[in-house]
Amino acid sequence: MRKLILTEPKISSDEELNIAYQIIWSIEHKKLNDAILLLDRLSEGRQFPQSWIQATKYALKNEDWSVLSEGFIKKEFIGTDGYFLLIAPHQLSSDKCEVIKLSAILGKVMSIDCVPLKDIEEQALNIFGKLLQPITEIIPITCVFACNRFYGENSEAFILPESWMIPGSLEGPVINNMARHRQRFHQVVRRNIPRIFEPDTANLLLDSLADETIGLQRQHIEYQYHDAGHATGLGIKRKIQDNLLSTYWFAGIEEWRADSVEFELAIRTLPNAEVGKLIAANFCLRFGIDAQRWGGYDYDTHATSSLFNLEYLFRSSALCIKKDKLALRNPDYQSLVKAIEMQRAEAVSITREELSLEHPTGILGCYHSIQVHHSTKEIFRKFIVGASEDMQEN
């Protein structure tokens, strides 16, 4: 009988991480030949999937990123201990243009409990009868080291699959940089929300994310439910591929629709006490960050989505103006759930209408039904955007 001999990897785990650092440094300084040699060395270890590292080396050497498609879609770039090294051209839409840069991120997947996707999917099927695309998985990560798009104060927190210039990447997962989300909460959201809302409402929203551990978990869970909302109706992948969201306004409606379906799915799958806090977490992002984006609702998709949320809060009479700030009439989580009933019902109706269309372009007619009153726009400018501008001037 042959004796089984277990061979040790040629390099240790610590050495592998050090090499990964060096690879990213080489890419940032445009020393691609050095990065290729280092990738060859990295493939001798066990911390990262060897097939992925070899494919990355080939892609970098030959500028053929199609070799990464299958591994990215199937999440085969993640090692057994959760570490991963992603290197590819990445497209980021800045304030005025779109730029593609070769970028890299060394990260580790975090363990965060969430309602299983199959349970969320089951409820989506109960509501709409069918799903035309799978729910995209959101992978929560901590960023160990990165360059270009994923490093610094303006780095990406929510890395969309289609932003990678890897053929077919739209079918892959979202990479969710949770440390960046927490940073934005502390540096931006906690500063903006009290400027926009009176104290009781501001505290209600901020308390949903205040605790570091629970807040981090809730932020991730909220993003996962949001992407479940995108999977309903015609599905976000079909809409992107068929260019059905060609204007910021239609794309903003899609974001608002995903938020609203998210709330419907959360009500059906989360404990009652948790639903209002998830809605509050969503409003922290929409009003505290997205509403302040450059160009506002005349240009930016996410700012426009925030405007729709504001419109429906006023339609439901849940929101009022109090002492020159916005205020929930009943600042508690149970009332917050009731406050979004109207937009939930509207979004579910539109989503069902999408599924009954004879041709996908009919979605434009569905979305034209969403209107915003002129007074809502004025309130948005004065009490949401204006509040943050006044703060910056002071």
Side-chain angles (χ1 to χ4, degrees), residues 122-220:
E122 181 181 350
Q123 290 305 319
L125 291 171
N126 287 340
I127 300 167
F128 302 112
K130 58 184 175 180
L131 279 175
L132 300 184
Q133 72 162 73
I135 296 173
T136 300
E137 182 178 358
I138 314 295
I139 300 179
I141 67 109
T142 180
C143 179
V144 179
F145 191 54
C147 69
N148 294 336
R149 297 299 179 215
F150 316 118
Y151 185 75
E153 289 188 359
N154 296 319
S155 62
E156 287 285 88
F158 198 66
I159 307 171
L160 297 171
E162 65 268 24
S163 64
W164 295 101
M165 297 296 98
I166 299 172
S169 63
L170 180 61
E171 301 297 322
V174 170
I175 308 297
N176 209 13
N177 185 345
M178 299 311 302
R180 181 69 180 124
H181 284 300
R182 292 308 294 170
Q183 184 184 43
R184 294 200 307 173
F185 171 71
H186 288 295
Q187 295 180 357
V188 182
V189 174
R190 290 182 65 175
R191 180 186 64 190
N192 282 338
I193 291 297
R195 301 286 300 206
I196 298 168
F197 298 98
E198 59 81 38
D200 287 345
T201 300
N203 290 336
L204 181 80
L205 299 181
L206 292 174
D207 284 351
S208 68
L209 296 175
D211 181 88
E212 282 304 305
T213 300
I214 295 173
L216 182 146
Q217 293 174 340
R218 190 167 287 135
Q219 281 182 293
H220 170 68

Side-chain angles (χ1 to χ4, degrees), residues 4-10 46:
L4 182 64
I5 300 175
L6 297 176
T7 58
E8 291 295 324
K10 295 180 181 179
R46 290 182 178 172

Side-chain angles (χ1 to χ4, degrees), residues 256 312 315-317 338-347:
W256 168 83
Y312 278 86
R315 285 193 197 182
S316 67
S317 298
K338 189 170 181 60
I340 51 89
E341 284 182 352
M342 184 180 293
Q343 73 178 73
R344 276 173 39 220
E346 184 77 11

Side-chain angles (χ1 to χ4, degrees), residues 37-242:
L37 291 172
L38 287 164
L39 280 164
D40 200 38
R41 176 71 172 144
L42 191 61
S43 67
E44 297 174 358
R46 290 182 178 172
Q47 194 84 288
F48 303 92
Q50 293 183 17
S51 59
W52 175 261
I53 297 301
Q54 288 286 1
T56 302
K57 174 191 169 184
Y58 178 90
L60 193 59
K61 187 175 182 179
N62 298 280
E63 296 187 1
D64 178 9
W65 302 100
S66 64
V67 296
L68 300 181
S69 297
E70 184 176 357
F72 181 72
I73 292 169
K74 294 182 177 180
K75 301 183 288 294
E76 293 173 349
F77 57 89
I78 302 171
T80 54
D81 292 333
Y83 283 101
F84 65 89
L85 179 63
L86 266 173
I87 301 169
H90 182 266
Q91 178 176 289
L92 180 66
S93 299
S94 62
D95 287 347
K96 299 179 181 179
C97 63
E98 293 183 345
V99 180
I100 297 174
K101 281 189 177 181
L102 181 62
S103 302
I105 180 169
L106 168 64
K108 186 174 184 181
V109 177
M110 301 177 69
S111 178
I112 295 180
D113 290 333
C114 184
V115 174
L117 286 185
K118 63 180 180 63
D119 292 351
I120 301 174
E121 181 179 274
E122 181 181 350
Q123 290 305 319
L125 291 171
N126 287 340
I127 300 167
F128 302 112
K130 58 184 175 180
L131 279 175
L132 300 184
Q133 72 162 73
I135 296 173
T136 300
E137 182 178 358
I138 314 295
I139 300 179
I141 67 109
T142 180
C143 179
V144 179
F145 191 54
C147 69
N148 294 336
R149 297 299 179 215
F150 316 118
Y151 185 75
E153 289 188 359
N154 296 319
S155 62
E156 287 285 88
F158 198 66
I159 307 171
L160 297 171
E162 65 268 24
S163 64
W164 295 101
M165 297 296 98
I166 299 172
S169 63
L170 180 61
E171 301 297 322
V174 170
I175 308 297
N176 209 13
N177 185 345
M178 299 311 302
R180 181 69 180 124
H181 284 300
R182 292 308 294 170
Q183 184 184 43
R184 294 200 307 173
F185 171 71
H186 288 295
Q187 295 180 357
V188 182
V189 174
R190 290 182 65 175
R191 180 186 64 190
N192 282 338
I193 291 297
R195 301 286 300 206
I196 298 168
F197 298 98
E198 59 81 38
D200 287 345
T201 300
N203 290 336
L204 181 80
L205 299 181
L206 292 174
D207 284 351
S208 68
L209 296 175
D211 181 88
E212 282 304 305
T213 300
I214 295 173
L216 182 146
Q217 293 174 340
R218 190 167 287 135
Q219 281 182 293
H220 170 68
I221 290 168
E222 193 274 323
Y223 283 120
Q224 183 62 80
Y225 272 89
H226 176 78
D227 255 55
H230 275 312
T232 60
L234 292 179
I236 188 67
K237 294 175 183 178
R238 176 73 180 275
K239 292 172 184 176
I240 291 173
Q241 289 170 345
D242 290 359

